[in-house]
Amino acid sequence: MLNLVIFGPPGAGKGTQSENLIHKYGLIHLSTGDILREEVKNQTELGKKAKQLMDTGKLVPDEIVIGMIHRKIDENKQAPGFLFDGFPRTVAQAVALDEMLNHKLMKIDKLIALEVSEEELVKRILKRGKTSGRTDDTDLSKIKTRVQEYEEKTKPVMEYYKKQGKFRSVSGLGEIEQIFQGICKAVEV
Ligand code: AMP
């Protein structure tokens, strides 16, 4: 079994590289952002709670995303492995994920962090906003809030995995295929 976390600030290319990773390694893709957007679209109770926070670029509460991930893992008992995308985003989420996986005799193998400068991130998100239909991709102040949330709450997650010897950093700049080669090397070496 192979369980990976794809990590990085908003706009680093996690979604794009996740597509490549799930095809190459046959993993189940668990993107908390995608799951939350689906909940919002379907106007579920959870979606209603999350919408306002997502619209402003703030993180939704840990217990909401932890519960979501828990359910998805349980629904995919035969999975050959998982790719966690956009999760964990706080140290509390990382601790909860370890506990959840431990309980099932599973573990995270590696966290792959995509490194991209802030200037490039903003450029990429605004470009994506032209086609993504995401309101949090088009407004500069929302993008800044998302980057700020990343800096304050999400960056410490890297230390958590560094201490476990599972942290791998990959340049997120350049051609998609070339970045993917770097990711595969980090996964396999
Ligand atoms: P993303 O598609 O990963 O950029 O996520 C979009 C939005 O969903 C974020 O700005 C947060 O509001 C929310 N979100 C996604 N994943 C998480 C998470 N693991 N913890 C808290 N909020 C999240």
Side-chain angles (χ1 to χ4, degrees):
M1 191 173 206
L2 177 69
N3 295 306
L4 301 173
V5 177
I6 183 101
F7 186 89
K14 300 188 293 294
T16 305
Q17 296 299 343
S18 288
E19 291 303 319
N20 289 334
L21 278 166
I22 57 172
H23 284 122
K24 174 154 179 159
Y25 296 105
L27 307 174
I28 300 280
H29 185 199
L30 295 185
S31 155
T32 41
D34 285 352
I35 302 167
L36 285 167
R37 277 185 288 278
E38 197 59 28
E39 297 279 346
V40 171
K41 200 174 90 190
N42 295 332
Q43 298 184 358
T44 64
E45 280 310 307
L46 196 158
K48 284 179 200 158
K49 273 190 216 155
K51 186 177 184 322
Q52 205 200 343
L53 290 160
M54 292 173 76
D55 277 349
T56 52
K58 291 272 188 194
L59 294 185
V60 307
D62 286 335
E63 58 274 19
I64 291 188
V65 282
I66 290 167
M68 269 168 30
I69 288 288
H70 206 150
R71 276 193 296 282
K72 292 285 177 189
I73 293 176
D74 279 346
E75 282 167 17
N76 288 282
K77 288 207 165 61
Q78 306 302 324
F82 292 97
L83 174 64
F84 298 93
D85 168 8
F87 179 91
R89 244 173 163 111
T90 62
V91 172
Q93 292 178 22
V95 171
L97 179 62
D98 269 354
E99 281 171 4
M100 234 183 277
L101 295 178
N102 260 337
H103 198 70
K104 296 175 190 299
L105 304 178
M106 290 157 60
K107 63 173 173 49
I108 292 297
D109 293 288
K110 277 169 191 162
L111 174 140
I112 311 291
L114 291 173
E115 307 282 354
V116 178
S117 68
E118 185 173 333
E119 196 192 338
E120 174 72 14
L121 295 175
V122 175
K123 244 196 292 177
R124 284 190 192 179
I125 297 174
L126 287 171
K127 187 169 169 221
R128 181 173 73 186
K130 291 185 180 153
T131 53
S132 70
R134 285 178 55 172
T135 51
D136 61 344
D137 276 352
T138 46
D139 180 320
L140 199 56
S141 79
K142 290 178 187 179
I143 296 171
K144 292 272 179 200
T145 305
R146 287 161 70 198
V147 173
Q148 206 177 332
E149 288 279 86
Y150 171 79
E151 291 288 330
E152 282 171 20
K153 298 176 185 164
T154 307
K155 253 189 171 172
V157 171
M158 290 202 267
E159 277 308 311
Y160 181 84
Y161 286 93
K162 270 182 196 165
K163 281 189 193 136
Q164 296 189 2
K166 294 175 179 174
F167 176 86
R168 302 288 183 278
S169 168
V170 173
S171 168
L173 289 176
E175 297 293 319
I176 291 173
E177 187 48 40
Q178 179 199 341
I179 299 167
F180 185 55
Q181 292 312 320
I183 294 175
C184 293
K185 216 168 124 196
V187 170
E188 289 164 22
V189 177

